[in-house]
Amino acid sequence: MKWISKINQVPQVAVMSTDLADILRFCISPEEFVPLRREVEILHRYVEIQAIRMSGSFHFAVELPPELAECKVPKMILQPLVENAILHGLEDVKDGIVTVRAWTTENRLLQICVSDNGKGADQAMLDALLSSEEEIENPKERRAHIGIQSVLKRIHILYGTDYGMTMESEPGSGMTVRIYLPYDKKKNTDRG
């Protein structure tokens, strides 16, 4: 596919096929935990596909301190959050921005924040996003929220219910999703 697109002078298809292949290899790899820098690399691949698909209608930025680059996190916990921001938050928004930031707190938490300047959501929508699938009656809404709910469930299974995520938003003002994970530099870099 990549070489056919190059021969036919459609470079976007070559980029998208390379990105998709990298994402698929990452997804099927046996590791449950990956360095945060690798999670961010795959996130860039996903965003590159979406940017081509959406004609570059949004900007993407990552703030990852070097000391957290090798910190181990559950694989594929950021992509569903960024996907939600791009496909739902930035829908019909000009000059959209999605930002991913990571830092540690004094009480030994690793926080990863995904924020956008999109259309936001009301409290009922935030509650639905963090509720269990069974509580959402509309099948279309249930499918749209499955990625966020999956991330929250995985965090609870791996670390317990003391960790998880929060969401903040108001209609018209974007959304911020914060993931809270335990941070122990030795464990987070030696795990997996």
Side-chain angles (χ1 to χ4, degrees):
M1 209 164 89
K2 177 180 175 179
W3 291 109
I4 290 171
S5 68
K6 285 187 177 208
I7 290 167
N8 291 309
Q9 298 179 3
V10 187
Q12 294 91 344
V13 174
V15 169
M16 291 174 78
S17 63
T18 300
D19 288 344
L20 185 57
D22 285 349
I23 292 169
L24 290 174
R25 276 192 295 275
F26 181 74
C27 287
I28 64 173
S29 68
E31 298 89 8
E32 185 173 13
F33 296 91
V34 296
L36 186 52
R37 71 164 167 72
R38 183 68 178 132
E39 179 78 0
V40 167
E41 288 169 6
I42 292 300
L43 199 52
H44 277 287
R45 298 290 197 184
Y46 171 77
V47 168
E48 190 170 39
I49 291 170
Q50 290 297 348
I52 291 170
R53 188 179 77 79
M54 299 172 71
S55 301
S57 64
F58 66 93
H59 177 71
F60 179 68
V62 175
E63 297 174 23
L64 176 60
E67 65 271 15
L68 297 180
E70 296 304 316
C71 183
K72 297 278 181 129
V73 298
K75 178 171 62 176
M76 292 298 285
I77 77 170
L78 296 179
Q79 184 275 335
L81 306 180
V82 171
E83 177 177 343
N84 187 69
I86 293 170
L87 299 183
H88 301 291
L90 299 183
E91 183 180 31
D92 300 324
V93 173
K94 289 184 178 183
D95 301 319
I97 300 170
V98 177
T99 305
V100 175
R101 295 182 306 122
W103 67 94
T104 57
T105 65
E106 291 177 11
N107 56 348
R108 313 230 23 98
L109 284 177
L110 171 63
Q111 287 191 40
I112 305 171
C113 178
V114 176
S115 59
D116 67 70
N117 67 339
K119 58 186 180 181
D122 60 20
Q123 190 60 48
M125 177 59 76
L126 297 178
D127 293 341
L129 286 168
L130 293 173
S131 67
S132 70
E133 293 173 41
E134 296 79 29
E135 294 176 31
I136 302 173
E137 293 179 21
N138 182 328
K140 185 178 178 184
E141 281 186 27
R142 190 177 308 134
R143 281 191 305 275
H145 306 321
I146 198 164
I148 290 174
Q149 293 166 349
S150 174
V151 170
L152 183 58
K153 284 179 185 177
R154 284 182 59 216
I155 291 170
H156 287 168
I157 289 167
L158 293 168
Y159 301 109
T161 56
D162 288 342
Y163 304 95
M165 81 171 71
T166 60
M167 302 177 95
E168 301 165 13
S169 182
E170 288 184 25
S173 67
M175 182 179 289
T176 299
V177 180
R178 291 187 206 291
I179 296 177
Y180 299 90
L181 303 175
Y183 177 73
D184 179 323
K185 189 169 185 176
K186 182 163 178 30
K187 272 188 185 175
N188 284 45
T189 55
D190 291 345
R191 179 186 271 161

